[in-house]
Amino acid sequence: QVQLVESGGGLVQPGGSLRLSCAASGSIFTINAMDWYRQAPGKQRELVAVFTSGGSTNYADSVKGRFTISRDNEKNTVYLQMNSLKPEDTAVYYCKAMVATREVIYRYLEVWGQGTLVTVSS
C-alpha cells in the first residue's frame, strides 16, 4: 500500500555532512507528520527530528544546531541534513510517516522505512 524508502547513508569522517532522503509512495491520500529516528548498535531506537504537517520542527537535544529536517510535500519526501557529524551519530536511520491511504482516509497508519546506515569514522 504505502512504502517509505530511505537513501543517502554511508561512511563519513567526523565533522563531515550527509543528507538523508525518505520518499513515500503508494496509495497515499495525505501524510501527517514525518519523522527521523535512529538506532545505534546495542541501543534503543530514538527520535531524532520531527516535521509536522503544519510545518513545525523539533529535534533531539543531541542533534540541535547540527541537523536540519525539511520536507517536500509535492514529492512526499522528507530530508535530514546532517552537519558536523560525530562518531556517536553512527546508527541506522529510519523515517516514519503517519499516512492516510486512499482506502482508509479517516485514519492515519504508522509506516516505517527500512533504514539507512550512517557510519561516522576516521
Side-chain angles (χ1 to χ4, degrees):
Q1 293 186 352
V2 176
Q3 291 183 331
L4 300 181
V5 178
E6 299 104 332
S7 60
L11 174 64
V12 63
Q13 292 186 342
S17 299
L18 280 176
R19 188 191 192 212
L20 306 182
S21 300
C22 173
S25 63
S27 183
I28 299 169
F29 178 71
T30 188
I31 300 176
N32 198 333
M34 297 186 81
D35 314 326
W36 284 99
Y37 286 74
R38 68 185 180 187
Q39 187 166 18
K43 295 187 177 181
Q44 290 188 334
R45 191 172 298 189
E46 63 173 354
L47 180 63
V48 175
V50 175
F51 198 113
T52 70
S53 59
S56 300
T57 59
N58 199 10
Y59 299 90
D61 288 341
S62 59
V63 306
K64 280 182 181 177
R66 300 188 298 121
F67 290 11
T68 302
I69 188 171
S70 60
R71 180 169 167 175
D72 185 332
N73 290 327
E74 290 189 0
K75 295 181 179 180
N76 290 328
T77 300
V78 65
Y79 305 94
L80 186 68
Q81 177 66 45
M82 305 185 294
N83 299 328
S84 302
L85 282 161
K86 304 174 181 180
E88 51 263 42
D89 294 318
T90 295
V92 177
Y93 284 72
Y94 299 89
C95 68
K96 186 193 79 174
M98 300 303 294
V99 182
T101 66
R102 295 192 186 100
E103 291 77 19
V104 184
I105 66 172
Y106 54 83
R107 180 163 57 95
Y108 286 104
L109 304 176
E110 185 177 283
V111 182
W112 288 84
Q114 82 288 350
T116 185
L117 177 63
V118 172
T119 303
V120 184
S121 175
S122 55

